[in-house]
Amino acid sequence: MKILLTGATGYIGKRLLPLLLDQGHEVICCVRDSNRFYYPEEFTKNIKVIEVDFLNQQSLKNIPAAIDAAYYLIHSMSGAASNYDELESISARNFIQQLNHTSARQIIYLSGIVNDTSLSKHLSSRKAVEDILKSGPIPATTLRAGIIVGSGSASFEIIRDLVNKLPVMITPKWLNTKCQPIAISDVLEFLIKSLLNPVTYQQSFDIGGPDILTYKQMLLQFARAKKLKRYIYTVPVMTPKLSSYWLYFVTSTSFKLAAALVSSMKVEVICRDNRINTLLGVSPMTYEKALARALVKIEEDDILSSWKDSMISGRFSGSVAQYLKVPKKDCFIDRRKRTIIDRAYTIEKIWAIGGETGWYYGDWLWSLRGVIDKIFGGVGLRRGRTHKKNINAGDVIDFWRVVYANKKEGKLILYAEMKLPGEAWLEFKIINSTLYQAATFRPKGILGKLYWYSVLPFHGFIFDGMIQKLIETVRNN
């Protein structure tokens, strides 16, 4: 069948795509920026990529008329706009209007559990989108999930950050709120089995695992799975804003996402109707088993997608293409070059930069810069990277965003998402037997120029040391 997949570069979309392809479907992938969309070469014949901005009705005309069903996996709760709920409704209405001109027989929407009478802005927005999608002539199926447990999910990564970094936690009282987590593999199974299944048409279903737990219990179970002793004490004095800052400074999440999550975490997200388990023959796994699977994926460096690589995790905006050309005019540039001995090994080291590997030289200065960035509202270094060795355009590496990555060519360009009075790029390229490294800064006004000169004394130390380490051929076995 021909399936329209929106949010194809998102956390769920990246994982759903290969499952649809394995079933032999042809998938039309809707993306805002085709430059950051990657898929296996063997599936080229079964994938069509179209650029669509659901806030721009004109771009929706790229959606082909001949489709059988559509997955709606678009959310923007942590985007830059404070009126994201309005934008989500506009996107849904535009989507419905365009889909009415197609042969689609079903819409499948992944939402949040909305059983409580008092909902957060985030969950209210999800419910509004659900109502819009159901208002059209095409049957809509809504799957409502709470906390999704899987390597790379925002919820899982926050839990992992808290447990790994804090032996003792003084936490907000909402950690005693109950929820019903579900494994990412079970979410995907529900999404696949709902496809063009008449028993799901024009209905909403809660999906969740068999365990009802408080957030505190989820943290402690994670600690046990990692064989760590952790102590958690809840206090009633933390306001939502303080709670948001607590999550923001301790974990890799952005402040906007932290604020959205905190407002939702005060609401119980428990399934009240799990009949879909019987209808589709799905037996969701326990939280303990979901944790174990996620930890194995991380250990094996087999993370298919991560929320950190989405645009909402930082201050990156626009398409990757607009940052590809590194400017020269009115810029400060730190250029260095070295002759390399082992091209393949140097590329291997470049492709492993950041995250757990670090920056090869002066890591304590990079860490200090990350802390300063967090203090001033930036992304900091805690995002790390999704894969230890693989890099694609659009991926995150600490407080950088990958805008170009070509391993065969030996060229990598990173764009800074840290708080800066200007814009910055870090570029590596290998030509013949020479490695060229360039740190480019385009200042904004006098403050930008002052910033450059204030950090200039550290550049010789950091960038010279880094390029020297990149050309070294001694392997640490």
Side-chain angles (χ1 to χ4, degrees):
M1 294 178 288
K2 290 187 177 181
I3 310 299
L4 186 76
L5 178 63
T6 68
T9 58
Y11 178 71
I12 301 292
K14 279 185 177 180
R15 295 177 183 237
L16 184 60
L17 175 59
L19 300 180
L20 293 171
L21 294 172
D22 285 342
Q23 292 193 342
H25 302 307
E26 180 182 341
V27 185
I28 299 97
C29 298
C30 296
V31 299
R32 279 188 294 179
D33 183 4
S34 59
N35 289 301
R36 43 183 312 262
F37 181 71
Y38 292 88
Y39 51 87
E41 291 184 8
E42 61 266 28
F43 290 126
T44 301
K45 292 182 180 179
N46 290 328
I47 289 179
K48 181 179 180 181
V49 182
I50 58 175
E51 288 193 339
V52 176
D53 180 353
F54 286 92
L55 292 174
N56 180 353
Q57 283 184 306
Q58 189 65 28
S59 73
L60 269 70
K61 293 182 180 180
N62 293 331
I63 295 175
I67 58 174
D68 294 291
Y71 284 96
Y72 193 76
L73 304 176
I74 298 173
H75 306 301
S76 57
M77 70 172 180
S78 56
S82 58
N83 63 332
Y84 68 81
D85 52 339
E86 295 176 24
L87 299 180
E88 286 194 339
S89 292
I90 292 171
S91 295
R93 281 193 289 269
N94 289 344
F95 174 74
I96 281 291
Q97 289 174 14
Q98 187 59 39
L99 220 64
N100 289 341
H101 299 294
T102 72
S103 56
R105 292 174 281 150
Q106 184 190 23
I107 298 167
I108 301 176
Y109 172 51
L110 181 62
S111 182
I113 293 177
V114 289
N115 290 325
D116 205 295
T117 53
S118 177
L119 297 174
S120 66
K121 182 180 178 180
H122 157 220
L123 291 176
S124 294
S125 178
R126 297 282 176 93
K127 182 64 169 64
V129 169
E130 177 183 330
D131 293 339
I132 292 169
L133 296 179
K134 283 187 175 180
S135 66
I138 303 171
T141 300
T142 301
L143 302 177
R144 299 169 171 171
I147 298 295
I148 296 177
V149 182
S151 57
S153 80
S155 303
F156 178 83
E157 292 300 325
I158 287 173
I159 290 171
R160 185 160 74 119
D161 282 345
L162 290 172
V163 172
N164 285 343
K165 294 167 184 172
L166 298 177
V168 178
M169 300 179 219
I170 307 300
T171 65
K173 61 182 179 181
W174 50 254
L175 249 71
N176 291 319
T177 303
K178 293 180 180 178
C179 62
Q180 196 162 349
I182 182 170
I184 178 60
S185 57
D186 291 326
V187 173
L188 295 171
E189 187 174 3
F190 280 119
L191 287 168
I192 289 292
K193 288 190 173 182
S194 295
L195 181 61
L196 292 174
N197 189 332
V199 301
T200 68
Y201 286 0
Q202 208 62 2
Q203 294 194 68
S204 299
F205 302 96
D206 294 344
I207 58 173
D211 302 310
I212 297 175
L213 305 166
T214 65
Y215 293 108
K216 179 177 178 179
Q217 289 172 324
M218 290 172 66
L219 289 167
L220 291 173
Q221 281 202 35
F222 186 97
R224 284 197 293 272
K226 293 277 291 184
K227 295 181 173 56
L228 298 170
K229 284 189 177 182
R230 294 295 181 260
Y231 303 92
I232 303 175
Y233 304 96
T234 57
V235 294
V237 293
M238 276 199 189
T239 64
K241 193 166 187 177
L242 280 175
S243 297
S244 301
Y245 278 115
W246 179 73
L247 275 185
Y248 168 64
F249 281 111
V250 176
T251 72
S252 57
T253 186
S254 66
F255 180 76
K256 286 187 177 292
L257 179 56
L261 289 173
V262 166
S263 66
S264 298
M265 286 173 171
K266 295 181 292 183
V267 180
E268 285 194 351
V269 283
I270 298 172
C271 301
R272 295 186 182 174
D273 180 3
N274 62 358
R275 59 197 167 93
I276 192 171
N277 294 4
T278 303
L279 288 174
L280 300 184
V282 179
S283 299
M285 68 181 69
T286 63
Y287 176 65
E288 183 181 11
K289 187 173 181 181
L291 278 183
R293 283 197 176 190
L295 291 172
V296 168
K297 292 292 184 182
I298 292 170
E299 183 66 28
E300 296 177 348
D301 193 26
D302 187 25
I303 305 173
L304 295 178
S305 63
S306 173
W307 80 274
K308 296 175 185 177
D309 291 328
S310 66
M311 293 304 184
I312 62 174
S313 75
R315 57 193 290 259
F316 194 87
S317 60
S319 68
V320 167
Q322 74 186 74
Y323 299 95
L324 275 175
K325 189 174 181 181
V326 182
K328 300 290 186 292
K329 186 180 179 182
D330 299 324
C331 292
F332 296 111
I333 306 174
D334 181 291
R335 290 190 178 95
R336 299 175 190 274
K337 64 179 182 179
R338 293 286 192 282
T339 300
I340 59 176
I341 300 170
D342 187 335
R343 175 187 172 92
Y345 187 50
T346 296
I347 290 176
E348 182 183 316
K349 293 181 80 172
I350 293 171
W351 251 249
I353 203 165
E356 294 180 6
T357 301
W359 294 85
Y360 297 114
Y361 201 79
D363 275 346
W364 68 273
L365 284 171
W366 288 95
S367 297
L368 178 61
R369 184 63 180 88
V371 171
I372 293 171
D373 194 51
K374 272 282 187 178
I375 291 172
F376 284 92
V379 295
L381 282 180
R382 289 202 178 104
R383 292 188 303 179
R385 48 183 290 166
T386 299
H387 301 282
K388 294 177 182 177
K389 297 181 180 179
N390 297 329
I391 301 176
N392 291 311
D395 287 356
V396 157
I397 299 179
D398 294 335
F399 44 44
W400 300 91
R401 178 77 61 169
V402 179
V403 294
Y404 187 81
N406 188 318
K407 206 167 188 178
K408 291 181 180 179
E409 188 180 340
K411 185 175 180 179
L412 176 68
I413 304 175
L414 308 178
Y415 177 79
E417 289 195 279
M418 66 191 85
K419 287 282 188 179
L420 289 169
E423 295 180 285
W425 289 258
L426 183 59
E427 181 180 5
F428 305 92
K429 61 181 178 182
I430 296 176
I431 301 176
N432 298 323
S433 59
T434 303
L435 169 63
Y436 295 86
Q437 175 185 290
T440 302
F441 180 66
R442 181 162 60 187
K444 287 185 180 179
I446 188 67
L447 188 61
K449 292 178 181 179
L450 288 172
Y451 172 81
W452 173 262
Y453 287 116
S454 69
V455 298
L456 192 58
F458 302 103
H459 285 178
F461 177 74
I462 292 175
F463 291 130
D464 191 69
M466 183 166 63
I467 194 171
Q468 189 61 39
K469 288 289 184 182
L470 288 173
I471 65 167
E472 289 179 358
T473 58
V474 178
R475 296 173 182 259
N476 296 319
N477 294 320

